Amino acid sequence: MIAEVLNGLLWAGVSFIIIYWLCQGFDLEGRTWVLIAIWLCSGLIVLWPGSDGLVARYLLGLRRPTMVEAQRLAPSWLAVANRAGIDPNRYTLWIEGSESPTGASAGGCTVTVTGWAIYTLPPSHLEAAMAHDLATHLHGRGWVSRIALWYSVPTRIVALAVRQLLKLSRTVPAVGCSIVGFLMISYFGFIFASLIFYDSLLVPLLFLTPLFAPLLFIGEAKLLERMADRAVADLGYGRKLLEVFYGWQAQHQETSRRLGLTQPDWLAGQPSIAERIRSLEVYLQAR
């Protein structure tokens, strides 16, 4: 519960700074706090039960399983729910179109399963993958995770824009690097202008937030991922989850070497599978 609250505060805090920063950049000083108040009040939407579906579909890009996928997921999901002692009808299954072994936490009453897990794992190992996302719900509060996701929207939009720019810089270097260079010059121009025209150092410090905020998110994401892996072990799926990780690692390491798609762990924003394996093995040995 504490980790979930800290996660929500981190996302909301950075989103608050982004909105404040944009208002200052577009010279909306007179309306800054009005816009921030509207944004804060918009969080009341999470009290509506249907907000889970809106967040999953339009914010996280998830989709509902097809009839064939639902039939494949049903036995594994019932087994996980029975072991966890929860009502399976309370949660809704969604599909994440990624090659990750476990789905991203969607908050609320949404359980995420990746496309790789559905079509690669046998039923017993699919249970372990589904238990990972369920574990993030068992020790928290649904409304807290909903609020965290809603208030993270500005930060996620900015993060998506940065990723797309970096992708453009790799695919079309001339165009991508020109755009990135222009934005970097504008960004540092805002910082110097704030140092000159503001008496307080608070505004320049807020403009510097994008330089150190990613480090906080990387550290927080790694901590939450490891806590979820340990919660899966507490449900009795620790060994199966390790086998899922080893299978994913063997499959994707060979592909990465063949295509030359190696990537430093610090760029991923998530702990590497090797890190998760080591952490989970240590936890299982200590139990």
Side-chain angles (χ1 to χ4, degrees):
M1 178 63 178
I2 296 176
E4 193 175 33
V5 172
L6 292 177
N7 176 49
L9 290 176
L10 178 59
W11 280 101
V14 176
S15 294
F16 169 82
I17 293 172
I18 289 174
I19 293 177
Y20 180 83
W21 185 40
L22 290 175
C23 291
Q24 295 293 318
F26 287 100
D27 195 22
L28 300 176
E29 294 184 11
R31 304 185 184 94
T32 297
W33 296 109
V34 175
L35 294 176
I36 291 176
I38 293 174
W39 172 67
L40 291 174
C41 292
S42 70
L44 295 174
I45 195 175
V46 303
L47 300 178
W48 176 47
S51 63
D52 281 354
L54 291 177
V55 170
R57 187 181 301 274
Y58 297 107
L59 176 59
L60 301 179
L62 308 180
R63 62 173 177 84
R64 293 299 304 275
T66 64
M67 183 175 64
V68 174
E69 291 170 339
Q71 292 174 349
R72 176 172 174 76
L73 291 173
S76 298
W77 172 236
L78 289 176
V80 172
N82 289 334
R83 178 171 294 194
I86 55 102
D87 180 8
N89 296 320
R90 179 186 173 190
Y91 294 88
T92 306
L93 300 180
W94 291 78
I95 307 301
E96 177 185 346
S98 74
E99 287 293 307
S100 302
T102 55
S105 177
C109 294
T110 300
V111 174
T112 306
V113 188
T114 65
W116 179 87
I118 293 178
Y119 295 107
T120 304
L121 300 177
S124 60
H125 291 77
L126 184 57
E127 290 180 28
M130 299 177 74
H132 175 272
D133 193 39
L134 176 63
T136 62
H137 301 277
L138 295 179
H139 302 289
R141 297 291 183 271
W143 64 271
V144 174
S145 56
R146 289 191 189 102
I147 290 176
L149 278 173
W150 182 257
Y151 285 143
S152 71
V153 170
T155 307
R156 292 180 184 274
I157 292 175
V158 172
L160 177 63
V162 171
R163 286 196 296 268
Q164 293 300 318
L165 283 175
L166 293 177
K167 181 179 179 180
L168 180 62
S169 299
R170 291 192 296 267
T171 55
V172 188
V175 177
C177 292
S178 299
I179 296 175
V180 171
F182 172 77
L183 292 177
M184 291 297 294
I185 293 174
S186 302
Y187 170 67
F188 287 109
F190 277 124
I191 295 177
F192 287 128
S194 63
L195 287 172
I196 295 173
F197 296 106
Y198 287 91
D199 297 330
S200 173
L201 290 177
L202 177 60
V203 174
L205 289 176
L206 290 178
F207 279 114
L208 289 173
T209 302
L211 296 180
F212 61 83
L215 300 177
L216 296 177
F217 281 113
I218 290 173
E220 174 264 346
K222 290 186 176 183
L223 175 62
L224 291 180
E225 202 73 68
R226 288 171 182 170
M227 291 178 63
D229 291 343
R230 294 180 178 184
V232 173
D234 293 336
L235 287 175
Y237 288 108
R239 301 293 177 185
K240 292 294 184 183
L241 187 61
L242 276 177
E243 293 174 4
V244 170
F245 288 160
Y246 277 119
W248 186 94
Q249 189 180 51
Q251 177 181 336
H252 288 76
Q253 276 187 344
E254 181 179 353
T255 303
S256 297
R257 284 195 299 268
R258 185 172 64 251
L259 299 178
L261 298 178
T262 56
Q263 180 185 34
D265 294 340
W266 62 271
L267 287 177
Q270 295 285 341
S272 66
I273 295 299
E275 289 178 321
R276 294 175 69 179
I277 289 174
R278 287 193 295 270
S279 176
L280 187 54
E281 285 179 337
V282 170
Y283 182 72
L284 290 174
Q285 292 172 358
R287 293 180 63 195

